[in-house]
Amino acid sequence: AGPLLDIFFVRTELTRHQIVATKAATQVFSHLAKILVYGAPLVAAGATASLPPLWVFALAIPASMLGTVAGGWVLDRMSDTNFKRWTAWIVTLIGAVYLVKAFQLWS
């Protein structure tokens, strides 16, 4: 959903900080929905053995915090124009990869 949202944000008047904040809020709700839809039935069924081990979460949490700090550092050093330009190129590249993969699966 992330790259799909980027398509709509590239041509807006929002600043790069507003775009990232809006996407972050959207992703939080998206992840919470996935946890409820996919995680709740697993826990209710007692299938906690299929969950990752605790050490995975212990590594993922600091890694996500480090990524947030690094991303903020990069975001603060970019201009709005460069942010939108890079976003457009990255979304185009992701789309191209998906098209190539789809073609490979179809062939």
Side-chain angles (χ1 to χ4, degrees):
L4 185 61
L5 285 174
D6 286 330
I7 295 169
F8 298 105
F9 287 127
V10 168
R11 297 178 190 256
T12 65
E13 296 296 322
L14 298 174
T15 67
R16 64 193 182 280
H17 291 94
Q18 291 170 327
I19 291 171
V20 170
T22 304
K23 281 191 63 180
T26 305
Q27 292 299 317
V28 165
F29 291 118
S30 172
H31 286 31
L32 288 174
K34 290 176 192 173
I35 289 169
L36 288 174
V37 169
Y38 299 113
L42 284 174
V43 172
T48 55
S50 63
L51 295 175
L54 192 57
W55 64 266
V56 172
F57 295 105
L59 288 176
I61 292 169
S64 69
M65 294 168 73
L66 182 63
T68 300
V69 170
W73 183 82
V74 171
L75 189 66
D76 287 339
R77 282 153 184 77
M78 293 181 95
S79 68
D80 288 343
T81 304
N82 281 336
F83 174 79
K84 290 180 181 182
R85 184 178 301 129
W86 274 95
T87 300
W89 277 105
I90 291 169
V91 169
T92 302
L93 180 64
I94 291 170
V97 169
Y98 281 145
L99 286 174
V100 168
K101 288 298 259 181
F103 181 74
Q104 289 173 343
L105 292 171
W106 194 31
S107 298

